Amino acid sequence: MSNFAPLLERNRAYAAGRGRTEVPVIPRYLTFVIACLDPRVEPAAVLGIELGDAIVVRNAGGRVTDAVIADVALISSIGEAMGAGTGASPLEVAVIHHTQCGTGFLADGGFRHAFAERTGLDEVALAAEAVVDPVATVRADVERLLASPLASGRICVSGHVHDLETGLVTTIVAPTAPYAVTASR
């Protein structure tokens, strides 16, 4: 039996009970969450997100990568075209890192070297992806997104750390507008 089969059964139950509920393209809370793919930090469970509440992108470490920046740019442009985020409340991009992140293995030279050898990925780039100090890495990722020329004036960016021991999410960086927009005001 497939590991995915039980989830397909859950999908059938979901689809049967769903009816014709409208789910907005632009999330109700005008929030775009970037989080780690670690199953211990499921944003829906941790933040109480329901279908249509927020956009959620997950990757290793919840890092702000070039692909994530492109996704934010696309979603903010779609939102702008639909009239969202044009009022007092822009789309907030919430970057969330967490304690005890598995990407911390990339800080270990032996592990990183073996992984680079196996995958052909660049060892220096891998080292930069490690989340050992989530406060420092969430600050760095917020900075990266804020400084990107792709960051729209219709977004703001915040940074948070999820503590796996307590379950609490703490704000490290309050919502901040991209630098290009701030500088032109």
Side-chain angles (χ1 to χ4, degrees):
M1 176 152 115
S2 163
N3 293 339
F4 193 64
L7 302 178
L8 288 173
E9 286 301 317
R10 290 181 186 178
N11 171 258
R12 287 177 184 80
Y14 161 80
R18 183 166 182 255
R20 293 281 183 233
T21 305
E22 287 293 318
V23 178
V25 173
I26 300 303
R28 281 185 278 279
Y29 291 105
L30 290 176
T31 303
F32 187 118
V33 176
I34 302 166
C36 186
L37 51 74
D38 187 320
R40 300 172 295 171
V41 295
E42 170 58 53
V46 171
L47 300 172
I49 296 172
E50 295 183 15
L51 190 64
D53 284 350
I55 294 167
V56 178
V57 168
R58 297 176 72 182
N59 64 28
R63 301 308 304 266
V64 173
T65 63
D66 289 343
V68 167
I69 292 171
D71 288 344
V72 169
L74 176 62
I75 293 302
S76 63
S77 293
I78 291 170
E80 189 173 339
M82 295 180 72
T86 57
S89 188
L91 179 71
E92 182 172 342
V93 180
V95 180
I96 304 174
H97 292 187
H98 68 93
T99 59
Q100 304 170 26
C101 186
T103 62
F105 280 101
L106 295 171
D108 176 270
F111 177 88
R112 183 177 58 250
H113 179 73
F115 183 64
E117 287 283 313
R118 192 185 87 193
T119 62
L121 296 171
D122 180 67
E123 218 173 316
V124 174
L126 289 171
E129 295 302 312
V131 176
V132 177
D133 177 353
V135 171
T137 54
V138 84
R139 285 185 194 279
D141 278 3
V142 167
E143 284 287 322
R144 180 171 188 212
L145 184 52
L146 288 171
S148 172
L150 297 180
S152 161
R154 302 270 189 249
I155 69 166
C156 63
V157 184
S158 60
H160 313 269
V161 172
H162 175 203
D163 184 320
L164 289 186
E165 288 189 28
T166 66
L168 292 174
V169 175
T170 302
T171 299
I172 305 302
V173 180
T176 306
Y179 297 133
V181 173
T182 304
S184 67
R185 287 186 183 163

